[in-house]
Amino acid sequence: QVQLVESGGGLVQPGGSLRLSCVASGSIFNRSAHKTMGWYRQAPGKERELVATITGDNTNYADSVKGRFTISRDYAKNTMYLQMNSLKPEDTAVYYCTAPLGLVVVRDYWGQGTQVTVSS
């Protein structure tokens, strides 16, 4: 079964850090420089929003997380990461990863989400 699985979420105090991981199983990340993978989040009562993406060597961040979050990937481990520092209560949301998987037949997949709660 081809899927993306997120982990690393949890409860953290304001100012704390978390590192989310997104592992691909059943297939591998497509390494095309034109393909985009990334992280999105959805807070209660709000629409899903972009957090960070990576396309080739280029990264893109939402203004609200610039300077605090870092997206990265390790093709050898088939894993994408989101390092989150200086967390704020407004970062509380379910975080989802998305990535293109496959070499010949390429399809975008979404993970099931991992909850991040920032609260004292």
Side-chain angles (χ1 to χ4, degrees):
Q1 181 181 2
V2 178
Q3 59 181 351
L4 293 174
V5 179
E6 302 103 332
S7 62
L11 173 63
V12 63
Q13 292 186 342
S17 297
L18 284 173
R19 187 176 80 156
L20 304 184
S21 298
C22 173
V23 180
S25 64
S27 186
I28 61 172
F29 289 144
N30 185 279
R31 301 190 183 191
S32 170
H34 304 290
K35 294 293 185 180
T36 298
M37 56 180 68
W39 291 90
Y40 288 72
R41 67 186 181 188
Q42 186 166 20
K46 295 187 177 181
E47 294 186 353
R48 188 173 297 188
E49 64 176 2
L50 180 149
V51 175
T53 61
I54 182 167
T55 306
D57 294 328
N58 298 313
T59 57
N60 177 57
Y61 296 92
D63 288 342
S64 59
V65 307
K66 280 181 182 176
R68 300 188 298 121
F69 290 13
T70 303
I71 186 172
S72 62
R73 63 178 174 230
D74 185 334
Y75 284 132
K77 295 182 178 180
N78 230 17
T79 303
M80 178 173 58
Y81 303 97
L82 184 68
Q83 178 66 44
M84 306 187 295
N85 299 327
S86 302
L87 283 161
K88 305 176 181 180
E90 50 263 44
D91 294 319
T92 296
V94 177
Y95 284 71
Y96 300 89
C97 65
T98 180
L101 302 182
L103 295 179
V104 178
V105 178
V106 183
R107 176 190 157 190
D108 289 325
Y109 287 82
W110 286 83
Q112 82 290 347
T114 185
Q115 176 71 47
V116 172
T117 302
V118 185
S119 175
S120 55

